[in-house]
Amino acid sequence: MKSYDEHATAQTREIAESTPPDTVNPKVEALVTDLIGRVADKWTMLVLETLDAHRTLRFTALSRLIPGISQKMLTQTLRRMERDGMLSRTVHPVIPPHVDYSLTELGGSLGAAFCGVWIWAEENLSRIETARADFDRRTGIDKGS
């Protein structure tokens, strides 16, 4: 059986090698634009990564495992992801109540799709570093600014 990473890599390569359709459904185009805006932010990606690694977590555990995220931002991110079907929220009727979050199949597949960006970055790291260094030399830009 393939590991998650092997499956995600194979799936990503299949997607990258497929040819785009001749016509674009405006609803799909709008959805892609909307989702890219939401999921490409660092907090959503970190929540995806954290839940993928730990399967199910409570809010406080997520907060602890994602350095720098505020309670407000984590709440907003989790709500958006739940609305989009990326994660499930389970409220346990105990005192005090607690809530568990876990990725849905849809959320897991989004994580797999973003593996393509990781693979691309790995394959092109030295080319990007060279291009940046060349640009910085040409323009006199200090990369620390």
Side-chain angles (χ1 to χ4, degrees), residues 2 27 61 67 80 126:
K2 286 184 179 180
K27 282 186 167 183
R80 280 194 312 264
S126 63

Side-chain angles (χ1 to χ4, degrees), residues 47-65:
V47 169
L48 272 170
E49 181 181 313
T50 304
L51 285 175
D52 183 57
H54 296 275
R55 299 296 171 220
T56 300
L57 290 170
R58 292 185 186 177
F59 185 93
T60 52
L62 271 167
S63 183
R64 240 187 350 267
L65 291 167

Side-chain angles (χ1 to χ4, degrees), residues 48-91:
L48 272 170
E49 181 181 313
T50 304
L51 285 175
D52 183 57
H54 296 275
R55 299 296 171 220
T56 300
L57 290 170
R58 292 185 186 177
F59 185 93
T60 52
L62 271 167
S63 183
R64 240 187 350 267
L65 291 167
I66 303 173
I69 193 166
S70 68
Q71 183 174 348
K72 179 181 177 181
M73 185 54 67
L74 181 55
T75 298
Q76 289 174 351
T77 302
L78 292 170
R79 283 185 183 157
R80 280 194 312 264
M81 292 176 72
E82 182 182 8
R83 180 175 184 261
D84 289 337
M86 302 298 165
L87 60 81
S88 64
R89 178 179 183 266
T90 305
V91 179

Side-chain angles (χ1 to χ4, degrees), residues 9-29:
T9 301
Q11 185 180 23
T12 302
R13 290 193 197 284
E14 285 176 26
I15 291 167
E17 293 169 359
S18 65
T19 56
D22 292 333
T23 60
V24 176
N25 179 334
K27 282 186 167 183
V28 172
E29 185 175 16

